[in-house]
Amino acid sequence: MEFAEMIRTGQAQAELLRGPEEPPLRGTLCITGHHLLLSPGPQATPDLWLLLLRNVDSIEKRVAGDSGTITLRCKDLRVLQLDIEGVEATLDIARSIEALSSLESVITSFPFFYRPKGLRLGDAWHFHPPECYYKRVARETNAWRLSEANEDFSLCPSYPRAVIVPRAVDDSAVARSARFRQGGRFPVLSYFHAPSGTVLLRAGQPLTGPQKRRCSEDEELLRAVLAGARPGARGFIVDTRSPQAAKQARMTGGGTEAKAAYPGWKRLHRPLERGRPLQESFVRLVEACGDLEQSMDRWLNRLESCRWLSHVKETLSTACLAAQSMEQEGACILVHGAEGTDSTLLITSLAQLILDPLSRTMAGFQELIEREWVQAGHPFQLRCAHSAFSHARPKHEAPTFLLFLDCVWQLGRQFPLSLEFGEGMLLALFDHAYASPFGTFLCNNEKER
Amino acid sequence: MEHIRTPKVENVRLVDRISSKKAALGTLYLTATHVIFVETAPDTRKETWILHSQIATIEKQATTATGCPLLIRCKNFQLLQLIIPQERDCHDVYISLIRLARPVKYEELYCFSFNPKLDREEREQGWMLIELSEEYKRMGLPNEYWQLSDVNREYRICDSYPTELYVPKSATAHIIAGSSKFRSRRRFPALSYYYKDNHASICRSSQPLSGFSARCLEDEQMLQAIRKANPGSDFLYVVDTRPKLNAMANRAAGKGYENEDNYSNIKFQFIGIENIHVMRNSLQKMLEVCELKSPSMSDFLWGLENSGWLRHIKAIMDAGIFIAKAVSEEGASVLVHCSDGWDRTAQVCSVASLLLEPHYRTLKGFMVLIEKDWISFGHKFTHRYGNLDGDPREISPVIDQFLECVWQLMEQFPCAFEFNERFLIHIQHHIYSCQFGNFLCNSQKERQELKIQDRTYSLWAHLWKNRADYLNPLFRADHSQTRGVLHLPTAPCNFMYKFWNGMYNRFEKGLQPRQSVTDYLMAVKEETQQLEEELEALEERLEKIQKVQLNRTKVRSKQSEPSKHSGFSTSDNSAANTPQDYSGNVKSFPSRSPSQGDEDSALILTQDNLKSSDPDLSANSDQESGVEDLSCRSPSGGECVPSEDSGKDRDSDEAVFLTA
């Protein structure tokens, strides 16, 4: 398939409005395979205005007389208006943008074509391989080992090749535990808290099902975790679903750990919103922000009723709970929800940010995202396919990663001197997660990458 | 002293409100001016001092097994929970405090006994720090439209107004006198703020005695005169800051508001700010929420919402914004009044002036603003803040609300104000403390009769002396956002009204944020300043050393050429002093060099920290550049010292060698 087939018209005269503060930009509009270009013409300033087509979330066209207007709503929440001369040109451009912005195939996307100056392919990849983090853990404790049981992604397609598991458990036990967990996501080490000697683990839900099945290797694995921490250590299993939801999950083969089967572990339910309700909350938040004419009361009402801030609060307090029980009570924590790829990662990454000063540095934060989001298999492509403006019915979209960034921002507000990076870093991460010339957030897991 | 029944009670426990387990054991003392609690723990012996005038309420609760609880609520939002072992002691303390916290005469107040050990001259100078006549001069008055009027000489027309007032030139004494008879408590329209740029002005008065149909020709002429004093506009806004219903009700009592039909070319506008009783109850409700023990997030938010406090703050701000816009954008003059024109009017006029005038956003300018709109125009401090035993229905947090409005603006414009939050908090504290004479009495006239200036000290001088504590490290006078009029964002999602934790929970250390960017930046700034001073001192010394060397070489050359003796007689004199100077320098040098090493690391540190903290100052690029400003100044200073120093040092060493 060629891009040229989808480009109906190469260029047109247009005027771009970028918002109330910035002056309109007039010039020639061009469409390429990945970009929308606006060149102001030779007499004006030479700088080119450029938009990645992948960034377009929704497009709206309106025709009046012999000119047309296209409103582009971007995934980074910008709203742009293009006034284009000629009805035909307008329709053509709109259709081209529509086609090009919703390409499904990853291989045709821009990161495969993007070659920034000064960067060579393969150079900066694997900045933070799992081995690297294991080295840090191994310096502190001997109770854990790096397992390559998932070398060919056969145990768990969404885990990286190497994961950290208790030394006392061999690879065959790990394989059986993987079969007992949703998506093969067996419990792995997420973070080792050296000062208290406790660990943070994450997993998928156990597949107990209606018959309340058990898996002795899975039980053994968690027992080994406690034994490795210190004698008599306790553990908490933080389930990010409500008790009812966890019970219901049994009907579809999922469920939670039975109390009797895991001595020393206590289950806590901290229901966090996920999936579609979270996406709807995000959409309503952005809607409320877009209305500049409303009264203070109306704005506060809408802010309250979209419940975004209460999601932020619930997430943060659950992460604090995990961090506190590790630091103050010396307990090990296992976090899981259903699949263990969304709210689970929220909690484990935020808890690390709270506990570990290193992850609050610029490099440490990047490492944290690489390890706990990208490598841990957060399905970026599914979750970030559309942002708040899309009219398409949401299927798998959810702003989980944005919720994480918001929580980090709130922490930054509380502790203004503790984060090495600022708001700009968080905004950039948000932009790149949704549409980026870089490949970091492409695909759903390591296997696909 | 005769009111103190028991001066000292031992084994009293002070309960920590946040963690109820910890209670500090100590001794309670009652003095003529303070309640003092001294902890017995030998290593700390922490002292808590409470001025009697700060005590708002004292509550004796039912005796329990551990003792008799006594709850002291302060006007500066401190809450003291004491447990006294003996019921009888508790009762004695209770009865004593009830009397001590409610003085009946001004002479009992702390300011008449407070002595900061300043001599008479210093005290008088302190009172002269803020001069209103200077302020009017700064505004550009008198001019062709406005003049200083002496109609209120010896408070002949209005006893709650100052004697020096600015009125339109065309308003004759006859018009003013006539107008004053038509205004509640004779508070006729007078100038509060004059906007130099377009001749528009903000005037203030009390409500007209219009009833249902009464008119007053002079009052109509007075408003006409104000309108004509502004050639740029053909109408005058009249802003009644009360809710319309309240203003209508006042008509039945023969008061009310201006009828647009009777006054030519006025635009009449109601802005619903509630009265002092509503505000008092609202604060009460909000403080109850603050007192909740470990409330959930929704409990707190519900309580805050139900208190309506932030809603009232917003109403005051909206009024101020409306007036500032009318003056700066429409170029129209505004007359503001409420009922008596001393509560809501003062709030609204000062908020509007603060938005319009950068000078009021400086340390000294803010003092002037309070002096002008509150003190001189007869805000009833004694009644509102319960300094003397009086009608509790007169008490209301009017100026507290104004201070909070300022704080909300500071949060919105972090670079626009020269002062910081602490400045506002200390002003609030001293409005209630009665330690200084500024806020005593209900009017200028009363203050003069009491000879306040001869018998007490001025708070402004005290604050000015300690101004280093009150500076906002982010203040940028030349910032594009903070020059001229402050423009508030129109979209509500861009302007949040926040709960002022630093004020209402200021004594709950556990609830305060653990990291303060302000304190941090202030420390950095102070360090930079110290380093710069050190640099200056070093450079001066260097110059001296070089001069010495020069003189020595000259001395030597003189010795070799005795014929030129007469020409060098002056340098010979100075050369005689040099050995002493020089040895002095040498002695102090080694002690300095280690500190110089510290300096270097400290500089790197501050630079790093600045970098890490600047994104927190929000994404505004202007602000960021402001901070970068700060950061590039110090390294450039730091870098050029050592190089210059060492270079010249080597030179001077060589010179020494030569002379030797």
Side-chain angles (χ1 to χ4, degrees), chain A residues 54-359:
Chain A
R54 185 95 210 137
N55 201 342
V56 174
D57 206 17
S58 84
I59 173 163
E60 206 179 281
K61 48 183 187 283
R62 217 175 42 239
V63 185
D66 57 350
S67 72
T69 302
I70 295 179
T71 308
L72 298 176
R73 290 167 206 275
C74 300
K75 289 177 187 167
D76 59 11
L77 309 180
R78 270 183 298 174
V79 179
L80 306 164
Q81 190 184 322
L82 285 164
D83 294 326
I84 299 171
E85 289 168 21
V87 175
E88 203 56 30
T90 310
L91 295 177
D92 281 348
I93 284 176
R95 255 177 253 138
S96 313
I97 295 176
E98 232 162 315
L100 286 166
S101 63
S102 56
L103 289 178
E104 288 288 332
S105 157
V106 178
I107 206 81
T108 54
S109 66
F110 185 59
F112 285 88
F113 298 86
Y114 184 52
R115 297 290 174 264
K117 275 184 212 151
L119 278 182
R120 273 218 326 273
L121 273 183
D123 258 5
W125 280 106
H126 302 296
F127 240 175
H128 313 284
E131 291 80 9
C132 195
Y133 184 65
Y134 175 67
K135 265 184 214 150
R136 263 170 63 197
V137 175
R139 264 202 300 262
E140 309 283 349
T141 172
N142 201 25
W144 296 82
R145 68 185 179 91
L146 193 69
S147 162
E148 299 194 341
N150 197 36
E151 176 82 61
D152 51 0
F153 302 110
S154 61
L155 290 186
C156 170
S158 61
Y159 271 173
R161 290 173 194 276
V163 290
I164 304 171
V165 296
R167 187 170 293 281
V169 180
D170 62 16
D171 279 356
S172 63
V174 166
R176 236 158 294 146
S177 167
R179 251 172 275 145
F180 183 63
R181 293 276 173 178
Q182 166 131 25
R185 294 175 71 88
F186 51 92
V188 294
L189 180 108
S190 158
Y191 171 63
F192 179 77
H193 186 53
S196 66
T198 55
V199 292
L200 183 64
L201 305 165
R202 52 182 155 73
Q205 64 177 341
L207 301 171
T208 53
Q211 292 90 28
K212 299 192 184 170
R213 273 185 295 144
R214 292 174 56 171
C215 170
S216 57
E217 285 81 3
D218 194 66
E219 289 161 22
E220 172 60 35
L221 199 155
L222 288 189
R223 204 164 28 240
V225 168
L226 291 191
R230 74 186 148 81
R234 286 187 307 153
F236 292 114
I237 295 174
V238 177
D239 192 325
T240 60
R241 301 164 295 179
S242 65
Q244 292 82 358
K247 234 174 233 159
Q248 263 171 16
R250 278 200 211 136
M251 295 302 124
T252 52
T256 53
E257 292 83 354
K259 219 179 280 173
Y262 297 89
W265 289 90
K266 197 178 163 212
R267 212 172 62 223
L268 300 169
H269 287 279
R270 285 287 177 278
L272 298 180
E273 206 57 85
R274 66 197 80 212
R276 191 177 295 175
L278 197 60
Q279 176 73 9
E280 275 162 15
S281 168
F282 174 44
V283 170
R284 290 174 65 189
L285 174 72
V286 172
E287 265 173 23
C289 291
D291 186 354
L292 301 177
E293 302 295 310
Q294 62 200 337
S295 71
M296 180 75 81
D297 275 334
R298 173 120 181 84
W299 153 248
L300 289 176
N301 258 330
R302 291 173 75 173
L303 183 65
E304 158 100 41
S305 68
C306 82
R307 296 188 43 79
W308 179 261
L309 284 176
S310 56
H311 299 322
V312 170
K313 178 185 157 269
E314 291 303 325
T315 310
L316 271 174
S317 58
T318 308
C320 283
L321 172 89
Q324 252 173 12
S325 9
M326 283 175 75
E327 214 222 344
Q328 286 167 10
E329 296 175 34
C332 295
I333 306 284
L334 167 66
V335 187
H336 72 72
E339 294 168 338
T341 54
D342 290 288
S343 45
T344 305
L345 303 181
L346 259 180
I347 301 308
T348 56
S349 51
L350 283 171
Q352 291 181 49
L353 201 72
I354 292 166
L355 288 171
D356 186 8
L358 206 64
S359 68

Side-chain angles (χ1 to χ4, degrees), chain B residues 297-454:
Chain B
M297 179 77 89
S298 57
D299 285 348
F300 179 80
L301 290 177
W302 269 111
L304 187 61
E305 164 85 27
N306 285 339
S307 74
W309 180 258
L310 288 177
R311 211 168 277 276
H312 298 313
I313 296 292
K314 180 175 182 297
I316 297 165
M317 287 284 260
D318 285 345
I321 293 166
F322 175 83
I323 293 167
K325 268 197 177 145
V327 168
S328 68
E329 286 171 23
E330 294 183 64
S333 294
V334 184
L335 171 68
V336 187
H337 69 73
C338 47
S339 295
D340 290 318
W342 51 39
D343 293 319
R344 285 168 275 199
T345 302
Q347 289 175 332
V348 167
C349 286
S350 42
V351 168
S353 312
L354 202 66
L355 289 170
L356 288 167
E357 175 63 60
H359 178 64
Y360 295 141
R361 305 194 285 263
T362 64
L363 213 58
K364 215 169 200 172
F366 191 70
M367 299 176 186
V368 169
L369 183 65
I370 290 185
E371 189 75 31
K372 172 169 72 74
D373 276 338
W374 296 82
I375 297 173
S376 84
F377 270 103
H379 176 64
K380 300 202 295 174
F381 281 94
T382 298
H383 284 166
R384 292 294 173 260
Y385 310 116
N387 296 342
L388 293 183
D389 192 25
D391 182 1
R393 284 175 45 84
E394 282 280 326
I395 295 176
S396 186
V398 183
I399 201 165
D400 300 56
Q401 287 185 314
F402 165 63
L403 294 176
E404 177 160 344
C405 286
V406 180
W407 179 79
Q408 303 279 3
L409 282 172
M410 280 161 63
E411 287 290 293
Q412 184 67 28
F413 299 99
C415 305
F417 292 83
E418 193 190 17
F419 46 87
N420 58 22
E421 181 184 16
R422 194 175 299 146
F423 185 59
L424 299 180
I425 291 176
H426 284 191
I427 291 177
Q428 194 271 354
H429 177 88
H430 286 299
I431 283 166
Y432 290 95
S433 76
C434 302
Q435 188 173 341
F436 297 92
N438 304 60
F439 305 119
L440 239 49
C441 307
N442 292 319
S443 68
Q444 209 73 301
K445 187 180 174 211
E446 283 183 32
R447 273 184 283 271
Q448 234 159 52
E449 284 164 359
L450 263 179
K451 297 197 168 50
I452 289 291
Q453 299 210 353
D454 300 335

Side-chain angles (χ1 to χ4, degrees), chain A residues 354-389:
Chain A
I354 292 166
L355 288 171
D356 186 8
L358 206 64
S359 68
R360 300 194 288 261
T361 63
M362 195 81 163
F365 189 62
Q366 283 173 14
E367 195 251 14
L368 181 74
I369 287 174
E370 179 86 26
R371 193 160 46 81
E372 286 296 286
W373 289 86
V374 178
Q375 290 171 4
H378 176 67
F380 277 100
Q381 197 181 350
L382 292 176
R383 298 289 180 259
C384 303
H386 292 287
S387 168
F389 291 123

